[in-house]
Amino acid sequence: MKEEIVKILLIEDNQDDSDLIQRRLGKSVNVLFDVTRAKTLEEGMAQLASDTPDLILSDLGLPDSHGLDTVTKILCEAPQIPLVVLSGFDDEATAIKAVQAGAQDYLVKGQTEGTQIERSLTYAVERARLQRELEQYTQEITCVQNNLLKILDNNADAIIVVNAEKQVLFANPAAEVMLGSKKQDLLKKPFRFPLKKGKTSEIIIGHGREKTVAEMSVVGVDWEGKPAFLASLRDVTERKQAEEALRESEEKFSKAFRRSPEAIAISGIDDGKFFEVNDSFLRQTGYTPEEAIGKSSSDLNIWSDPEQRAAMVKTLKEKGVVSNEEYNFHTKTGQECIWLFSAEAINIGNQPCILSVATDITERKKTEEALRRSEEKFRELISTSFDGIIATDPEMRVVVWNQGATRILGYTEKEMLGQPIMKVIPEKDRRKTEKLLTALNRRRPGQSPNRTLEGACLRKDGAEVPIELSISSRKSGESHIVTAIIRDITQRREAEEKLRKVDEMKRDFLSNVSHELRTPLQSIGGFTKLIMNGQVPDEATQKEFLEIIDRESQHLGSLIDNLLDMSRLEAGRFEVYKRPTPIRDTFIDAVKSFQSLAREKNITFNEEIPEALPEMEIDAGRLRQVITNLVGNAIKFSEPGGSVTVRAEALKDAVLFQVSDHGIGISPETQKHLFERFYRDEGEVVRGGTGLGLFISKQIIDAHGGRIWAESRPGEGSTFNFTIPLGEKTPVIAKGGNNHGKENTGN
Ligand code: ADP
C-alpha cells in the first residue's frame, strides 16, 4: 500500500527520458508519485503558478534554458520547493555545481537504475521539509530569544551571568543601574561578590554616598555550553530601612514598656489574665513575673473593688479608652493604694485585650489631703484670728480681709475685697503708705524682713484707730502679695498714757512731799521758838499757838503715815486690823480735832452723829485716818464763811458716813480720777497736798468691805460718802497698791 503521495513537476523536453522516469517512478512500492510534465522551463514555471508540487525534477538542458541558469531561474522562482536536477553523463560537473547552488540532488540520465531515483526524490522532499521546519524552528527560537531579552531588559531585578572564572558574561540594564557601571565596563570584568549556587544572600553595594542593599539569588546555568552562575539581585534597601525602622521602633517600644515609671500591663479584656507586665507594675504590686503573668487580676485580688473593674471594662468596650480614672488597688501584701489609671482596648492576635497604664498616686493623694487640711486649718486660723489680717496685691487692692480686720475696722470682707487699701489709711499717711507698699512690691522674696510698725487706720465710722502692724511681703506666682497683721492698740495706748500720767504725778508728788513736810515743820518750829523765848506772855495766845503746833504735828504725822501707807501698799504690805469697836466713838474722836481748825478758818462745823450706832468689826485707827482725810479736805476746799457738815446714819445693812461742804466743788474730769494715787486737781495746787489721801482712804474702805464715793458740783460743794457693811466678815488683810483706782466711786 502506498502511504504517501509526492507531487512531482518534471521539466524534461526529451520524451524518452520523460517516459523512462515516469515508468521508473510508477514502479515505486511505497510512494505514489504524481507526475506533471513540462517540456520547457517557461511551461514548468507556468505550471508552478497553478499547482505547487512537492518537488521539481528538471533537466539542466532545456530548449529555453541551459546548465546552471536553469537552476538559478527555478530556485529564484520557487525557493521553497526542493529541486533535483537531471544531467547527462558528460555533464556531471555542472550537476555538482547545481547542488552547490542550491539544488537538493542530481541524477545522471541512464544511471537511474533500481530505486535510486525514488530514494533521491523522497529524500529531497524530506530534506526540504526538514529544512523548512528547521527554519521555522529557528524563527521561533529567535522570537523567544528576543522576548526573553526584552524581559531581561525590562526586569526590575538585576540579572548577571558570571562564568566559572568569575567574569561577567551578561548584565541587564537593571544590573547596570544597581552596580553603577555601564554594560561595557562590566562585561568580561570580574564580579566581586561571592557566589554560591542555590543560595540567597545579602550584599551591600556602595557607590557614591548611597548604599544599596541587594538580595542576591544564585543559580547554576549552562551559558553557551559552559557552566555559569546566574545571579539575580533585588534592591531591598527600602525594605531593609523599613525593617530597621520597625525594629528600632519595636525596640524603643519594648524599652519604653519595660523601663516606664508607670505600671503597664496587657491583659485579656474578659478574663483579666495578664500577658505582659512591666517592671514598674511588678514593683508597685509586689509580684514577681511568674506570680503575675497568666493570672487574672481577680486571682491576684488586685482591684480593691471588683465593681470598679467591671465599670472600667464597660467604658472600655463602649468608648475604646479610659483615661485618668482613680481606682483603688491592693498590693501583694494587701496594702491599699490609689492608681491614676488609663487604658486602651487593643487586639492581640484576634483576642481583645486591655493595655493599661497606671501611676501610683497614693503618696500624692496623702500629701494633697494633708495640704488641704493644713490649708483649711490655716484659712480658719486666718479668718478667726483676733488680729486683723489684710493682704494686698501689687495694685494695692485688698485680696485678704479676715474677721479680725472687720472687728477692728468695721468693714466686712465683702465690702473690702478688691477695694484699694487706701480706703482705710488716713489721708495724712497715704503717701507714706504708698511708698512703703511700692518698695515692698519691688523687693525680691526673702529680701524683706518682717517689720513691725505703729500707725493708724481709718475705721468705717471715720474714727482713727491706733494700730500696730507687722508687714511681710511674699511672691505669689508672678506678683507680690503684701500681708499686714494689724492689732488694735487703743487700750494699750490708753494704758501707756495712764502710766505716763502716773509717772508725771509721781514726779510732782516727790516735789510736793518735800514742800508738804517742810510747811508744818516751819510752823511748828516758828511757834515753838516764840513760846520758848518767852515772846508769848499771854496764856491764851500761848494755848492757841500750842494748838497750832499740835495740829501741825498731827498733820505732819498723818502725812508721814500716808507716805508709809503708800510704800506699804506698793510693797503689798498694807494691813488692816479689825476688832469689835463702837463705831460712834471712832467718828466722834476723829471729827473733834477739826472744831478749832474750822473756827480758825471761820467755817461753821456741823456734826450730826446719832447716838445709836452699832459696835462693828473695824480698824478704828484706819477709819479715823479716812475721816481725818475727808474732813480735812472739806475744810481745806471751803472758803471762809462756809460750812462743813459731818453726819452718820445707820442704814439697813451698813453704816453711812458723810462729809459735805459748800466749797469749790470738783470738776467732772477730776471726779473721774479722785481715788487714784497722786491725783490732785491741777488748778488746786496752791492748796497743797500729796494726792495720796483719797487713794489710801479707798484702800481702807475696800479692806472693810465698804464703798467710798463723791458727789460734787463745781462751785457748789462736795459730799464724800463711805459705808461700812454690818456684820460682814470683811477681809482682815488688804493687799493693794496696784489698784489704779479706775472707778471714781469705789463701788
Ligand atoms: P491731798 O492729800 O493732796 O489732799 P487727796 O487724795 O486727799 O489729796 O485729794 C485729792 C484731790 O481731790 C485734791 O487735791 C482736790 O483736788 C480734790 N478734793 C478732795 N476733796 C475735795 C473737796 N472736799 N472739795 C474739792 N476738792 C477736793
Side-chain angles (χ1 to χ4, degrees), residues 146-256:
N146 282 341
N147 284 341
L148 276 175
L149 278 174
K150 247 186 247 165
I151 288 168
L152 283 176
D153 277 357
N154 295 318
N155 200 331
D157 288 350
I159 292 170
I160 297 160
V161 178
V162 180
N163 67 11
E165 286 74 43
K166 300 282 165 68
Q167 281 180 326
V168 176
L169 301 177
F170 172 87
N172 71 345
E176 290 178 279
V177 172
M178 195 179 286
L179 298 172
S181 304
K182 286 265 158 254
K183 194 176 268 177
Q184 55 267 29
D185 298 324
L186 289 170
L187 294 179
K188 297 274 153 52
K189 305 278 160 53
F191 184 67
R192 58 198 166 93
F193 300 102
L195 295 161
K196 272 192 197 130
K197 274 184 213 163
K199 287 270 152 69
T200 300
S201 55
E202 230 171 65
I203 59 170
I204 293 168
I205 304 157
H207 42 86
R209 220 182 283 168
E210 281 170 31
K211 292 253 186 293
T212 305
V213 184
E215 200 174 73
M216 181 168 75
S217 310
V218 183
V219 288
V221 289
D222 190 69
W223 191 264
E224 290 164 356
K226 287 181 185 161
F229 302 95
L230 186 142
S232 73
L233 285 74
R234 179 163 295 178
D235 186 341
V236 291
T237 315
E238 277 184 18
R239 195 182 77 199
K240 280 274 143 187
Q241 280 168 353
E243 276 174 10
E244 178 66 10
L246 192 69
R247 196 188 55 70
E248 268 177 22
S249 94
E250 265 175 7
E251 196 171 292
K252 260 187 220 155
F253 172 78
S254 92
K255 212 183 256 177

Side-chain angles (χ1 to χ4, degrees), residues 277-334:
V277 294
N278 73 345
D279 293 351
S280 296
F281 178 93
L282 297 170
R283 201 172 46 246
Q284 285 177 29
T285 57
Y287 290 102
T288 64
E290 296 73 36
E291 288 169 332
I293 289 172
K295 301 280 168 46
S296 71
S297 53
S298 64
D299 290 341
L300 301 177
N301 187 26
I302 280 187
W303 289 76
S304 300
D305 178 3
E307 301 266 304
Q308 279 189 337
R309 181 178 193 274
M312 183 275 291
V313 167
K314 189 166 175 266
T315 314
L316 209 54
K317 283 181 174 170
E318 282 166 12
K319 301 195 178 146
V321 285
V322 165
S323 69
N324 291 328
E325 294 289 341
E326 286 178 19
Y327 295 130
N328 291 33
F329 290 90
H330 282 134
T331 65
K332 185 182 170 185
T333 56

Side-chain angles (χ1 to χ4, degrees), residues 456-494:
C457 276
L458 272 184
R459 233 171 34 200
K460 193 179 178 183
D461 62 11
E464 267 192 30
V465 189
I467 54 150
E468 178 191 86
L469 73 165
S470 70
I471 307 182
S472 62
S473 91
R474 68 188 160 83
K475 217 165 171 202
S476 162
E478 273 312 291
S479 60
H480 269 89
I481 297 293
V482 175
T483 307
I485 299 177
I486 64 167
R487 184 168 291 179
D488 184 345
I489 52 167
T490 311
Q491 287 188 3
R492 195 171 82 195
R493 279 276 171 85
E494 281 170 5

Side-chain angles (χ1 to χ4, degrees), residues 65-82:
S65 181
H66 292 282
L68 278 178
D69 260 4
T70 309
V71 175
T72 316
K73 281 176 185 158
I74 294 170
L75 285 177
C76 193
E77 202 68 25
Q80 300 92 339
I81 302 169

Side-chain angles (χ1 to χ4, degrees), residues 502-560:
V502 169
D503 236 44
E504 207 174 85
M505 287 192 286
K506 230 176 189 169
R507 262 200 315 277
D508 285 354
F509 167 77
L510 283 174
S511 68
N512 284 341
V513 159
S514 48
H515 172 77
E516 289 296 311
L517 290 173
R518 207 170 295 120
T519 312
L521 270 177
Q522 274 170 353
S523 118
I524 291 168
F527 284 116
T528 311
K529 267 196 192 107
L530 280 176
I531 294 168
M532 272 169 42
N533 292 347
Q535 284 172 292
V536 194
D538 161 21
E539 210 172 289
T541 315
Q542 257 185 29
K543 190 174 178 254
E544 193 188 330
F545 282 10
L546 284 171
E547 273 174 6
I548 294 172
I549 291 170
D550 179 48
R551 210 170 46 238
E552 290 297 337
S553 55
Q554 265 182 41
H555 179 56
L556 203 57
S558 79
L559 251 174
I560 291 168

Side-chain angles (χ1 to χ4, degrees), residues 589-628:
D589 191 36
V591 299
K592 79 171 181 237
S593 58
F594 286 99
Q595 301 279 9
S596 60
L597 180 65
R599 225 179 8 256
E600 263 169 46
K601 282 196 75 179
N602 192 22
I603 288 166
T604 316
F605 191 80
N606 308 311
E607 183 206 296
E608 298 168 15
I609 298 170
E611 294 292 329
L613 286 176
E615 184 176 83
M616 297 176 80
E617 285 277 332
I618 54 163
D619 182 330
R622 289 294 185 197
L623 270 194
R624 205 166 30 238
Q625 198 180 335
V626 176
I627 292 163
T628 305

